[in-house]
Amino acid sequence: MPSSQELLFILIIAGAVVLVIWTLKDTLKKGEKKEKEKEEESTHPKGENPNIVLPLQLQAYERIILFVERIAPQNLISRVNQPGFTVLDMQIGMVSSIKSEYDHNVSQQIYVTPTAWEAVKTVKEQTISIINQLALKLPPDAPSIDLNKQILELFMLQPESPSDIASEIINAEARKLMKR
């Protein structure tokens, strides 16, 4: 049976995940409102060729969706985990992987809406934060399976993961683009 400190810590982390979900949903609502206001404006600035820009924009949405999927905890764990890894090794590996993936895709923000990019940044920051918080709770030399188990349990408790919500926001923004 977990101690009261462990239960409190799990509740705090679960609260953080709920806060992330709430923030992402709020971001989606604000983005929809801004997009409705801008619908009357031209889709492309004067002189820009929509036949060139639209494929680049759609490709950017594809890439950021792939990023969000790659940093989802279950995908991240299966890609990073190695036999013999400790909690510290796993923490460093997952955070490094997230940061590397983000750096590789940072240029995509010029092709997507601010709402979509904010969702990407939020899910990245919150995923790193949760990994770090859970890792601090465990001994650094414990087997990585302990950290992996806690991360997966925490995300399984939530009806929607931050990655799922970010994907919904990004997909909604891409659908708006395709309707124009």
Side-chain angles (χ1 to χ4, degrees), residues 13-26:
I13 297 295
V17 171
V18 169
L19 182 61
V20 170
I21 291 170
W22 180 70
T23 303
L24 286 171
K25 285 185 177 183
D26 189 47

Side-chain angles (χ1 to χ4, degrees), residues 6-38:
E6 289 174 335
L7 288 174
L8 179 61
F9 188 78
I10 289 171
L11 286 174
I12 291 171
I13 297 295
V17 171
V18 169
L19 182 61
V20 170
I21 291 170
W22 180 70
T23 303
L24 286 171
K25 285 185 177 183
D26 189 47
T27 301
L28 175 62
K29 288 178 186 174
K30 287 179 183 175
E32 287 175 352
K33 186 176 180 180
K34 286 179 184 178
E35 288 298 317
K36 286 179 183 176
E37 292 171 359
K38 291 182 180 181

Side-chain angles (χ1 to χ4, degrees), residues 129-149:
S129 176
I130 291 167
I131 290 167
N132 287 336
Q133 289 175 12
L134 289 172
L136 286 174
K137 183 182 170 221
L138 300 167
D141 58 345
S144 64
I145 189 85
D146 295 348
L147 177 60
N148 299 345
K149 182 179 174 187

